[in-house]
Amino acid sequence: MTPGLSSLSHLKFGLSSSGFVRKLKGALALAVVACGVSPSPGQVTVSQLRTYSLEELMGMDVTSVSRKAEPFYETAGAVAVLTGSEIQQIGSRTLADALRYVPGLEVARVDFRNWAISSRGFNASNSNKMLVLMDGRTVYSPLFSGVFWDVQDTFLPDLDRIEVIRGPGATMWGSNAVNGVISMTTKDARYTQGGLITAGLGVEEKAFAGVRYGGEIPGKLYYRVYAQTTRRDDLLTATGVDLNREWTSTQTGFRIDSAAPKENGSVTFQGDYYHGSVGATANISTPFTGGNLVLRATKPFANDMEFTTQVYFDYLSRYVYQQYGEVRRTYDFDTQLRFSPWEHHDVVAGFNYRSSADQTRTGSLISFVPVDRRLQLGSMFVQDEIRWHEEMFGLILGSKFEYHQKVGVEIQPSIRLALRTRRSTLWAAVSRALRTPSRYDEDSRFGPLPTNPQLMGSHHFQSESVVAYELGYRAQYFTSFTWDVSLFFNDYDNLRSQEPTGLRQPRILSNKLMAETYGAEIALKWQPVRRWRLQASYSHLVDEFHLASDSRDITNGSQEANDPKNTANLRSHLVLGGGLEWDVGLRYVSSLPNPAQPAYLATDTRLAWRYRGQWEFALVGQNIFDNQHTEFGTRVSDQVQRGYYGSVTWEF
Amino acid sequence: MGILGFLAVRTRWILFLVLAPALWAADGHGGLSEQELKAAALNQVVHFTRWPVGTFADADSALVIGIFGEDPFGNLIDELVQGEVASGHPVKVVRCFTPEAAAACHVVYVVDAGLRSTDRLLHYLSDRSILTVSGDEAFVERGGIICLTVRSSRIRILVNLEAAKRANVTLSSKLLRLAEIVKKP
């Protein structure tokens, strides 16, 4: 390799500030990241590039889009990215709603406070097969296995990106990344300098306001602080009754980033505190409170070696009226080392320890035995990435080794292979991933009378497992058109079943369900003219469930999944000129089997006007052609209504 | 049904969905990326610019290019300007994130001109002799001086002469011949 070329290859590290991307690159990207950005060996070096005159540069063909726009272009996995500005253009006020336009994700609002979100099937009101992270902190709860979307929030103007991997990510991220990983990252404090004030009023999104200020201590650090408050209207019940419940929340937080250039390493310290309540009835509201502190440091060494370590503390107190309550404290320590022991090899190895302790509160529906419990988890992983033939071929081999107190050591390996040309990536992968038993699986008592439950957890519950086979292709045909297709076949074993034990006896959670799912996902991005960008995606899914021969389960998986066969969406972003922008989004979800839900098509739109750059006025309509509809079963799900709001944002 | 049974049944579809587009898009290596070309063009543009007398403290003080925002070039731009001399001054690249830091540069490359903060930046820089450059076409409409854009897979240069005059920087006639003039004074 020429010196010039190796320096060009550093471009790959200039792409994103988020540690997640780096991790993802290690996990999925077959390292030819550099290949897409820099010329192949024997072509243009920096010293040659410098000698070209302006006329010569203007006569050369641009052969790839900017890496910033397509950061996952080279990854050997099914990935999608939603940038912060794309999220604002959709007009969503919650993180869960922002995910509706991510290719391959199915998002359904179950009720006032719950969303069902999953990829590649197994969507349920407590979807348990997607691992979700916020700035490197897991928000996947070990109580029910899933994410409480009602307490996940951030100051949206400071959200940098949402990255979604479909398919197992367990080799790198560990258990519960069975069907995918969703990672949300906020901006580095250096990119949020100055002040921002935003406020809005509307129907459904009744009122909100937020303020952020970012500053610096020159040469030392960049910082920002924010605070926001929100008031949301109720959803209608399945029968169309308005209970006049209300959702209020207030959140504040900060982020500090070291000012030294990134190549010298970085330190980040951040935290959030939130408090709110979700109305159970017009008179009774149930509070939630939470907070977190995260400290992360990265230090590079010679020979492309890099050391990263992160510690965090997370606190959550949440009560669901008449169902259950939970207070949870999580401590997590994570460290990893990246190095290149031999030529063509890039090794990443890491270690993680987590302690998650809860105190549950018995409601009238669900209780846990024991009431309080601390779960501890230790794990390590190692992965080698091998490149050859001028980085055209790549192979990634790795595995996670996790130790759980109850289930012992679990192994989650994967193998990925990629073939890459300048404009395309063809990849294939086989991986194994697990969902480890939650408190619900092991300790729950479900039913109106705790002494005589209808459904019980079991200490014999094992991890659910999947072996996933994937094949994908991603290409850029012209600078303005990219296309991404992936196919998968997932073979699940040990899925949760409900085994009857006798007349008037509780059903016991067991592992006697199996399933196969397969399908395809297609995502397109097209920018026909500079001012107009179109994005479309389509996913097809087939799932087949069957029971072990000795099972007496009568649910046959209906509690575990309620998936549409087809989902599709289309987004248009049009810059009209004069500071005006117009966005339209269409999303289609085909019918759900059980609980039954007819297919629906929803439309969202946003018109924004920017005045002298610093001011932005926006009008947003959500679900505009429909008074109300359910999204997760007509007889059980709440009804999402048409919503409008207007907002003003001032940046100074 | 295991994976093998599945493959036996669905092979034709898999081949169609994945291999057909793969064959269509099959091509060799070659060419340069947008960021490489823009970095090289930025380096060239600096040589076609003259600053008013008194801009530089000393005859040998550095000509500073500031990259404002999330750097898309990485080390490439630093390597490109290494050893370069423009208007008799050695060229240097820094990263800046506040208007105050940008005001200390001679050239400011605005990475994301679509941000609300861009107008605040341009306003702050407007009465200083600073060459503002971006890769985003909206930039020149908003009062930036130079845009390095891509049209029909080629690099194109847009110049807002009015803004250049206001900043009191002189762009060489050679650069103006190659560029498209967006606003005349």
Side-chain angles (χ1 to χ4, degrees):
Chain A
M1 261 196 184
T2 61
L5 207 114
S6 65
S7 66
L8 275 175
S9 73
H10 282 104
L11 263 184
K12 69 177 174 183
F13 295 122
L15 297 176
S16 170
S17 55
S18 88
F20 176 78
V21 176
R22 302 288 305 275
K23 208 167 180 179
L24 185 82
K25 287 209 160 128
L28 302 179
L30 280 167
V32 207
V33 184
C35 175
V37 181
S38 62
S40 302
Q43 293 187 325
V44 184
T45 62
V46 170
S47 45
Q48 282 174 293
L49 195 57
R50 191 188 288 150
T51 60
Y52 293 131
S53 71
L54 207 49
E55 289 107 311
E56 283 171 320
L57 291 169
M58 290 172 74
M60 288 179 184
D61 272 333
V62 177
T63 51
S64 60
V65 288
S66 97
R67 296 299 105 184
K68 192 173 182 300
E70 296 291 333
F72 293 135
Y73 187 66
E74 311 84 353
T75 52
V79 288
V81 184
L82 209 57
T83 64
S85 51
E86 282 171 343
I87 291 158
Q88 298 220 9
Q89 285 156 11
I90 294 165
S92 315
R93 295 290 316 158
T94 61
L95 289 170
D97 283 331
L99 295 170
R100 289 180 185 274
Y101 288 97
V102 176
L105 271 193
E106 213 267 292
V107 177
R109 198 159 173 191
V110 181
D111 61 39
F112 195 24
R113 68 190 305 165
N114 287 308
W115 277 261
I117 300 177
S118 192
S119 73
R120 298 186 172 174
F122 287 90
N123 210 9
S125 47
N126 279 303
S127 300
N128 58 29
K129 293 184 177 52
M130 295 294 287
L131 186 66
V132 180
L133 305 160
M134 246 188 116
D135 279 328
R137 168 176 58 90
T138 180
V139 295
Y140 182 98
S141 165
L143 188 70
F144 281 97
S145 295
V147 178
F148 301 131
W149 285 103
D150 53 351
V151 295
Q152 310 309 331
D153 204 357
T154 188
F155 189 56
L156 287 172
D158 292 346
L159 187 62
D160 186 47
R161 55 181 60 229
I162 299 178
E163 295 152 339
V164 177
I165 303 174
R166 304 184 300 272
T171 298
M172 210 74 181
W173 286 277
S175 52
N176 305 321
V178 175
N179 277 21
V181 181
I182 298 173
S183 171
M184 296 171 273
T185 45
T186 59
K187 289 176 182 168
D188 189 309
R190 70 191 70 209
Y191 305 127
T192 54
Q193 294 290 297
L196 188 149
I197 295 175
T198 183
L201 285 172
V203 181
E204 298 309 303
E205 295 291 345
K206 279 181 163 174
F208 56 88
V211 56
R212 172 258 285 160
Y213 184 77
E216 66 171 333
I217 296 177
K220 293 215 172 359
L221 55 87
Y222 295 96
Y223 67 87
R224 70 162 174 267
V225 288
Y226 76 89
Q228 64 178 4
T229 181
T230 302
R231 195 150 65 92
R232 278 195 186 100
D233 194 15
D234 193 5
L235 269 60
L236 298 181
T237 65
T239 49
V241 180
D242 189 346
L243 294 177
N244 287 314
R245 299 167 292 187
E246 203 170 59
W247 176 348
T248 58
S249 80
T250 303
Q251 179 160 338
T252 179
F254 71 94
R255 177 166 169 152
I256 298 167
D257 287 282
S258 59
K262 284 266 160 66
E263 54 268 27
N264 298 351
S266 64
V267 180
T268 301
F269 182 47
Q270 63 184 108
D272 304 281
Y273 169 81
Y274 52 89
H275 176 79
S277 80
V278 182
T281 70
N283 303 319
I284 299 169
S285 61
T286 58
F288 60 84
T289 302
N292 60 76
L293 284 173
V294 184
L295 179 65
R296 183 171 44 248
T298 299
K299 178 80 187 160
F301 295 94
N303 304 323
D304 278 341
M305 188 153 92
E306 190 186 71
F307 183 71
T308 307
T309 189
Q310 174 184 281
V311 284
Y312 71 75
F313 166 69
D314 187 278
Y315 171 85
L316 172 65
S317 163
R318 184 174 176 273
Y319 175 62
V320 180
Y321 181 62
Q322 287 188 333
Q323 290 186 22
Y324 65 93
E326 177 199 22
V327 175
R328 179 171 298 280
R329 289 175 180 83
T330 308
Y331 299 87
D332 186 284
F333 172 80
D334 191 272
T335 184
Q336 61 171 290
L337 183 69
R338 175 186 298 267
F339 58 104
S340 183
W342 312 284
E343 203 185 354
H344 307 307
H345 286 256
D346 193 5
V347 176
V348 196
F351 169 80
N352 175 266
Y353 167 79
R354 185 180 305 151
S355 155
S356 186
D358 63 43
Q359 296 158 284
T360 64
R361 172 173 161 191
T362 302
S364 57
L365 200 61
I366 304 167
S367 55
F368 295 88
V369 179
V371 177
D372 305 343
R373 188 171 158 194
R374 186 159 81 115
L375 301 165
Q376 291 187 88
L377 171 79
S379 73
M380 58 164 292
F381 77 91
V382 60
Q383 176 176 279
D384 188 13
E385 192 176 313
I386 310 148
R387 294 153 264 162
W388 70 96
H389 202 276
E390 294 180 350
E391 308 201 328
M392 246 182 90
F393 297 94
L395 174 70
I396 294 181
L397 286 166
S399 183
K400 185 104 179 171
F401 305 90
E402 258 182 25
Y403 177 76
H404 292 257
Q405 282 163 306
K406 277 272 155 56
V407 287
V409 176
E410 299 274 24
I411 300 172
Q412 303 180 76
S414 76
I415 175 167
R416 288 178 186 271
L417 191 65
L419 166 65
R420 201 172 276 107
T421 69
R422 179 103 193 155
R423 294 184 183 198
S424 62
T425 305
L426 177 65
W427 58 272
V430 180
S431 27
R432 178 174 193 257
L434 302 169
R435 181 180 78 80
T436 48
S438 62
R439 284 274 268 148
Y440 176 76
D441 299 318
E442 292 186 336
D443 305 330
S444 65
R445 304 285 182 270
F446 188 92
L449 292 168
T451 48
N452 185 18
Q454 296 164 348
L455 183 67
M456 276 178 72
S458 158
H459 283 262
H460 301 292
F461 195 88
Q462 298 167 312
S463 294
E464 298 183 335
S465 72
V466 67
V467 178
Y469 305 84
E470 297 174 87
L471 186 64
Y473 181 74
R474 189 179 297 118
Q476 174 202 345
Y477 292 130
F478 319 103
T479 43
S480 63
F481 187 81
T482 53
W483 136 295
D484 189 328
V485 56
S486 46
L487 306 176
F488 63 92
F489 176 88
N490 287 358
D491 198 345
Y492 296 87
D493 204 358
N494 275 349
L495 292 173
R496 186 161 64 195
S497 63
Q498 302 182 2
E499 302 296 328
T501 50
L503 207 60
R504 295 200 189 85
Q505 293 291 312
R507 284 165 288 140
I508 307 268
L509 294 178
S510 186
N511 296 92
K512 293 183 178 175
L513 184 66
M514 290 167 282
E516 284 100 45
T517 62
Y518 57 89
E521 295 134 353
I522 296 171
L524 308 170
K525 235 180 221 186
W526 185 39
Q527 189 154 10
V529 289
R530 181 170 67 84
R531 291 168 180 276
W532 193 25
R533 188 185 69 228
L534 286 167
Q535 283 161 280
S537 70
Y538 166 73
S539 323
H540 181 70
L541 170 79
V542 179
D543 49 15
E544 288 162 8
F545 287 88
H546 32 108
L547 292 160
S549 53
D550 61 340
S551 172
R552 295 163 62 209
D553 179 295
I554 50 164
T555 63
N556 197 23
S558 64
Q559 302 287 311
E560 301 300 313
N562 192 21
D563 296 317
K565 261 197 160 51
N566 301 296
T567 52
N569 64 55
L570 176 69
R571 289 239 304 131
S572 154
H573 174 68
L574 181 64
V575 179
L576 295 164
L580 273 174
E581 285 178 8
W582 184 35
D583 283 87
V584 179
L586 295 172
R587 46 195 163 88
Y588 169 79
V589 181
S590 70
S591 61
L592 307 182
N594 188 8
Q597 161 72 41
Y600 70 88
L601 176 71
T603 310
D604 305 314
T605 188
R606 173 179 180 266
L607 187 67
W609 179 49
R610 192 176 285 172
Y611 173 67
R612 301 179 64 180
Q614 285 172 277
W615 290 89
E616 189 177 271
F617 302 87
L619 287 172
V620 174
Q622 294 168 320
N623 191 28
I624 52 172
F625 293 123
D626 192 3
N627 280 332
Q628 65 219 47
H629 68 260
T630 57
E631 296 185 343
F632 213 67
T634 40
R635 292 170 62 189
V636 291
S637 179
D638 279 355
Q639 302 194 44
V640 181
Q641 294 166 273
R642 180 191 291 131
Y644 292 104
Y645 71 82
S647 69
V648 184
T649 304
W650 180 48
E651 216 162 321
F652 58 93
Chain B
M1 183 176 61
I3 178 71
L4 293 175
F6 173 77
L7 286 177
V9 179
R10 307 277 162 181
T11 305
R12 264 182 309 163
W13 279 104
I14 293 171
L15 285 177
F16 175 76
L17 272 169
V18 173
L19 293 183
L23 290 173
W24 190 45
D27 61 3
H29 295 255
L32 287 159
S33 79
E34 182 178 333
Q35 297 308 348
E36 283 162 352
L37 284 169
K38 284 185 174 177
L42 174 61
N43 183 34
Q44 291 292 323
V45 161
V46 173
H47 290 275
F48 291 115
T49 308
R50 295 286 172 273
W51 281 262
V53 181
T55 305
F56 296 90
D58 294 304
D60 56 352
S61 57
L63 192 161
V64 183
I65 302 177
I67 309 292
F68 189 88
E70 199 168 345
D71 186 359
F73 301 123
N75 275 2
L76 173 62
I77 187 76
D78 302 76
E79 301 254 337
L80 271 172
V81 304
Q82 203 159 28
E84 292 276 295
V85 175
S87 311
H89 299 275
V91 182
K92 189 178 113 182
V93 175
V94 299
R95 271 78 190 164
C96 46
F97 308 100
T98 59
E100 293 77 14
C105 304
H106 303 100
V107 180
V108 174
Y109 185 88
V110 181
V111 178
D112 190 348
L115 294 177
R116 276 185 295 264
S117 55
T118 300
D119 284 41
R120 179 163 52 104
L121 174 72
L122 287 175
H123 181 76
Y124 194 85
L125 303 183
S126 61
D127 54 350
R128 293 174 164 85
S129 294
I130 293 171
L131 179 73
T132 52
V133 188
S134 175
D136 188 333
E137 289 201 17
F139 186 66
V140 281
E141 292 156 19
R142 295 174 71 174
I145 299 174
I146 290 183
C147 166
L148 305 171
T149 188
V150 175
R151 287 185 186 168
S152 313
S153 297
R154 299 282 167 93
I155 291 284
R156 289 289 167 268
I157 302 171
L158 311 183
V159 170
N160 180 338
L161 265 185
E162 187 188 80
K165 188 158 194 275
R166 202 167 48 234
N168 201 17
V169 293
T170 313
L171 303 173
S172 81
S173 55
K174 191 178 175 202
L175 173 63
L176 296 180
R177 271 203 306 281
L178 294 170
E180 181 183 318
I181 309 300
V182 176
K183 272 187 190 168
K184 287 185 179 155

